[in-house]
Amino acid sequence: MLSIFVLLTAACASDGGSSAGIGGIAAGSVEDSLSACMSRIPSDATEGQRQLAEKSCERDQANRK
């Protein structure tokens, strides 16, 4: 479970080094969107993991503006 969260956080915080699989857009890239980042949060994540991942997505979105 922790490894899934770590991978998710790394994907959302990435600066475009990996492909997201959603239309080939790299996680964290300028073309990535808040909704795309949020959609990568695993459905079985705990509430705390989900909150941290959502904050990471929101941070990345703010950095892209």
Side-chain angles (χ1 to χ4, degrees), residues 5 9 11 13 16 19 24 26 30 36 41 43 46 48 50 53 61 65:
F5 174 69
T9 303
S19 177
V30 174
I41 300 172
S43 60
T46 66
R50 178 169 291 284
Q61 179 69 19
K65 290 184 177 185

Side-chain angles (χ1 to χ4, degrees), residues 14-46:
S14 171
D15 60 357
S18 63
S19 177
I22 300 174
I25 298 171
S29 70
V30 174
E31 296 84 10
D32 194 16
S33 68
L34 179 59
S35 61
C37 184
M38 295 286 213
S39 73
R40 291 189 296 271
I41 300 172
S43 60
D44 62 346
T46 66

Side-chain angles (χ1 to χ4, degrees), residues 38-61:
M38 295 286 213
S39 73
R40 291 189 296 271
I41 300 172
S43 60
D44 62 346
T46 66
E47 184 61 30
Q49 291 171 329
R50 178 169 291 284
Q51 287 178 350
L52 187 56
E54 288 173 354
K55 291 291 183 188
S56 294
C57 290
E58 292 167 357
R59 179 204 62 219
D60 291 349
Q61 179 69 19

